[in-house]
Amino acid sequence: MGTRKSVAALTATEKSDFVAAVKALKAQTSGRNYDWFVRTHMTYFNAVNSHNYAHMSSSFLPWHRKFLLELENGLKAVNPAVNLPYWNWTANRSTTGAPFTSDFMGGNGSGGNGAVLSGPFAGSTRWRINVSATTSTSLRRAMTLRGSLPTTSDVDTVMGVSTYDVSPWGSSSGSGMRNRLEGGLTPNLHNRVHVWVGGHMAQVDSPNDPVFFLHHCNIDRLWSRWQTRWGFGTAQYLPGGGVANVVDVEEVLEPFGATVASTLDHRAGYTYA
Amino acid sequence: MNDISRRDVFRHGATAAVLVATAAGFASLASSGATAGPGRVAAADPRDFEETYKGKKIKGEHDKDKGKHKVHINGKKLGVMQVELPVAPDSTATYTAVLSTLNHFDPVPLDEGNNRDGLKKLAKLAVDQLGDQELTHDADHPHP
Ligand SMILES: [Cu+2]
């Protein structure tokens, strides 16, 4: 069982092990390598088989939970000691502090919207962008130009909403925890962080920036925190069944071949420190 | 969804603006119809645009009925998606917005009133995001 720690609590070895494993997954030439995750995120941004599996739907949280687990398993195949860390942006809010240090994710893009200049992912020889909506082969960031980071009180507001999601189970859901967390509804914890980092993180190919996984690990941690308060059971996920084109609790999340129900209680597989 | 959003625009007090925009729309349709050649297939939406922004050619075609708007930047297609978003917590009223493969988490409101230039704003955002880059074929992600 793994323990997922805050990026601010990682040791120097944990940071370098994580970076090395991510780079090994990138260099892998077959199977679910790093670029497979980028491509899959792009494909599943839209409806597949008339289902919005990944975004603007109830299954946003379980789909990304499986997506992260799949990546974490890929990293563990390289080095079993590696666990996904999370970026708690309510506490780590600087463009130069954790996780944006030169021994980990590196810093901002040059000139505000250009290539990242420092750290292990700076420049296309260290980290090449192969699958993208834009032509740059180097990782880009444009931190703070748009978007913003949620505060502790924003998080507390979302954690206090007891209903998981409401009809029509999409971007227009006017209540419920999921849309407030995803960002269709204020206070918006997920979407605006993508925008705040900018560059590749703002695009459909956002997993090109490894920070994607640290941000989504934090989103998963917050869902887990919500579950700790309101319950890990299947009754706490909505819709419960019979809603066409929405992934109900017993329906399968593609491309993972696992039901939503099977993702809900993660505690036997990993926990958050 | 389109019908709902249009009703909501009315519900949210933009009635006058929408009516004015519609009237202006008909006027420009009529005049463009008079000068259009025989090759013209469909009447253009009055919000359509084709211009240069920061050195890049941006072109936008609205699809009022189905919401499948088209944006091209320097001739390359940008994937655009129309979404409905709640106007406020605990409200069932929604507004229409557009997002693109480059501004994926940052929807821009689009209607026929105060936000009639929403698609152009989205195209300009994409150009800002591009900087010295161009779109690739993956910028036009598949639509259902
Ligand atoms: Cu995300």
Side-chain angles (χ1 to χ4, degrees):
Chain A
M1 199 202 65
T3 303
R4 295 179 175 178
K5 294 163 65 171
S6 164
V7 294
L10 297 179
T11 64
T13 308
E14 285 170 331
K15 281 187 256 190
S16 60
D17 281 355
F18 181 79
V19 168
V22 165
K23 290 197 171 199
L25 198 61
K26 180 84 167 175
Q28 197 177 297
T29 50
S30 60
R32 295 189 168 181
N33 60 9
Y34 195 92
D35 287 336
W36 179 87
F37 289 89
V38 181
R39 173 64 68 192
T40 299
H41 192 264
M42 290 174 80
T43 305
Y44 280 82
F45 199 89
N46 284 289
V48 175
N49 309 325
S50 317
H51 283 67
N52 284 318
Y53 287 104
H55 299 94
M56 298 181 200
S57 66
S58 308
S59 51
F60 165 72
L61 291 168
W63 191 90
H64 280 88
R65 178 168 281 177
K66 284 304 281 184
F67 191 65
L68 296 188
L69 262 175
E70 198 77 25
L71 179 102
E72 193 176 46
N73 287 338
L75 300 179
K76 280 178 182 295
V78 176
N79 179 351
V82 168
N83 296 290
L84 255 181
Y86 61 87
W87 169 31
N88 178 3
W89 20 251
T90 65
N92 301 108
R93 306 172 70 80
S94 152
T95 61
T96 52
F100 299 107
T101 50
S102 56
D103 63 343
F104 201 41
M105 292 294 118
N108 201 4
S110 68
N113 192 25
V116 169
L117 294 178
S118 63
F121 303 100
S124 60
T125 52
R126 289 195 194 89
W127 184 253
R128 189 179 175 85
I129 306 296
N130 300 311
V131 179
S132 175
T134 59
T135 51
S136 174
T137 53
S138 303
L139 178 62
R140 294 192 172 205
R141 290 188 189 128
M143 289 196 268
T144 74
L145 291 189
R146 296 176 63 80
S148 54
L149 298 179
T151 63
T152 304
S153 93
D154 291 331
V155 169
D156 290 345
T157 303
V158 177
M159 294 299 105
V161 178
S162 60
T163 305
Y164 178 81
D165 202 2
V166 300
S167 173
W169 324 105
S171 61
S172 63
S173 292
S175 189
M177 178 274 289
R178 191 272 313 163
N179 207 23
R180 285 176 162 93
L181 181 57
E182 183 175 5
L185 192 56
T186 181
N188 174 3
L189 303 185
H190 159 260
N191 284 352
R192 58 170 154 148
V193 176
H194 276 274
V195 180
W196 185 89
V197 176
H200 284 96
M201 266 290 270
Q203 302 182 180
V204 66
D205 51 299
S206 47
N208 271 315
D209 191 334
V211 161
F212 172 97
F213 293 97
L214 315 187
H215 168 45
H216 269 275
C217 191
N218 196 44
I219 294 295
D220 188 69
R221 181 181 69 98
L222 294 177
W223 182 28
S224 176
R225 212 177 110 187
W226 182 89
Q227 291 180 302
T228 302
R229 177 163 172 188
W230 301 103
F232 283 87
T234 51
Q236 267 63 50
Y237 178 88
L238 294 170
V243 183
N245 300 336
V246 178
V247 188
D248 307 324
V249 69
E250 297 296 347
E251 260 187 275
V252 169
L253 293 164
E254 295 300 357
F256 309 115
T259 62
V260 168
S262 75
T263 69
L264 296 178
D265 195 348
H266 63 82
R267 290 170 295 183
Y270 65 89
T271 54
Y272 285 102
Chain B
M1 278 298 200
N2 282 321
D3 292 336
I4 293 166
S5 66
R6 230 165 282 135
R7 248 183 282 127
D8 287 329
V9 168
F10 281 87
R11 205 184 302 156
H12 282 88
T15 315
V18 170
L19 291 178
V20 168
T22 308
F26 276 125
S28 72
L29 277 186
S31 62
S32 72
T35 53
R40 189 158 191 105
V41 248
D45 187 294
R47 299 169 296 174
D48 289 355
F49 57 90
E50 188 162 7
E51 62 185 58
T52 300
Y53 173 71
K54 294 192 179 170
K56 287 189 163 69
K57 237 186 86 186
I58 57 172
K59 184 180 177 195
E61 298 157 274
H62 294 74
D63 176 4
K64 194 168 137 181
D65 294 331
K66 295 199 187 94
K68 302 206 173 207
H69 313 294
K70 279 191 212 137
V71 171
H72 286 83
I73 299 176
N74 280 352
K76 295 227 162 76
K77 198 171 173 205
L78 176 71
V80 174
M81 183 191 255
Q82 179 170 299
V83 296
E84 299 298 313
L85 295 163
V87 295
D90 301 316
S91 166
T92 53
T94 62
Y95 68 96
T96 302
V98 281
L99 45 82
S100 82
T101 50
L102 297 208
N103 307 92
H104 226 101
F105 306 92
D106 200 7
V108 180
L110 173 69
D111 56 35
E112 293 174 75
N114 291 339
N115 298 305
R116 63 197 306 278
D117 61 346
L119 195 65
K120 194 194 278 188
K121 270 192 187 155
L122 186 78
K124 289 183 171 179
L125 262 178
V127 170
D128 291 340
Q129 169 83 7
L130 279 170
D132 58 356
Q133 308 174 85
E134 296 292 334
L135 296 176
T136 69
H137 67 277
D138 279 323
D140 175 25
H141 58 174
H143 286 268

